[in-house]
Amino acid sequence: MEDHKIVQRNLALQREWYGEPLGDRVRRLVVAFNVSQAQLADVLGISAPMLSQVMSGRRAKIGNPAVLARMIMLERKILTPDVATGAPEALQRALDDVRESKPTVSRDSLPVNGDESVAYPVLRRVADRVELQQAADLLHEDFPAIAELFRRAIRAAGQR
């Protein structure tokens, strides 16, 4: 198969497996964290040439699940309030946390380090405080954990 067809096939596989081409995801991380591809590769625990091959579609997948887990961790950290400000020290702290992480990946877990606060800004973007409170009230009896998550998102908004 010629190179162009291989790349197109790999990009199609990435869309199927990861929701979009990995190059798009990596470029967003490079921009969000203001790092080079080589620096990002170091944080993810992958060689720079391997990351380049995955980004360009010359390789279809990331073979090491821990590398993918770190990528997901970084994507989620973008949503945290301190990283979202773009403050260099917050960006570096997030990169260091992910670099030093030892994520485990299983069928039943995602490597998010239990940091539910990443959900708060997302919840506040889709619903205002009144809507979140109404949803929490409706869900309280049958889904108390989800109701409490909504209430914590409301409280976190008040602390800003």
Side-chain angles (χ1 to χ4, degrees):
M1 200 183 293
E2 64 186 68
D3 282 348
H4 176 72
K5 288 183 181 178
I6 292 171
V7 167
Q8 293 308 311
R9 180 197 59 143
N10 288 346
L11 292 174
L13 287 171
Q14 287 179 2
R15 282 185 197 91
E16 180 182 334
W17 295 336
Y18 304 111
E20 66 183 313
L22 289 172
D24 294 346
R25 291 175 72 171
V26 170
R27 278 186 279 286
R28 276 197 301 275
L29 292 173
V30 164
V31 170
F33 287 96
N34 193 28
V35 293
S36 68
Q37 287 180 23
Q39 290 169 313
L40 182 63
D42 177 60
V43 170
L44 295 175
I46 189 172
S47 72
M50 179 70 77
L51 183 61
S52 177
Q53 290 174 358
V54 168
M55 288 181 66
S56 67
R58 289 190 306 272
R59 284 187 175 263
K61 68 178 183 172
I62 296 174
N64 183 340
V67 172
L68 180 60
R70 286 186 195 97
M71 182 182 296
I72 293 168
M73 290 169 72
L74 280 176
E75 289 171 334
R76 291 181 178 183
K77 284 189 178 286
I78 292 171
L79 301 174
T80 61
D82 59 333
V83 172
T85 66
E89 60 279 354
L91 297 176
Q92 189 60 53
R93 195 169 39 253
L95 291 167
D96 291 342
D97 287 348
V98 170
R99 180 186 295 109
E100 295 165 12
S101 71
K102 304 285 188 237
T104 57
V105 181
S106 71
R107 288 175 31 153
D108 300 322
S109 69
L110 285 175
V112 295
N113 294 338
D115 187 7
E116 69 182 30
S117 67
V118 299
Y120 301 162
V122 175
L123 289 171
R124 291 191 303 264
R125 276 197 298 268
V126 298
D128 63 26
R129 296 175 78 129
V130 171
E131 292 170 321
L132 287 172
Q133 184 60 56
Q134 290 172 341
D137 293 344
L138 287 171
L139 294 170
H140 178 74
E141 181 123 355
D142 294 324
F143 305 98
I146 296 173
E148 183 56 28
L149 175 68
F150 289 177
R151 290 188 185 101
R152 285 193 295 270
I154 294 167
R155 288 192 296 271
Q159 296 172 358
R160 291 187 294 143

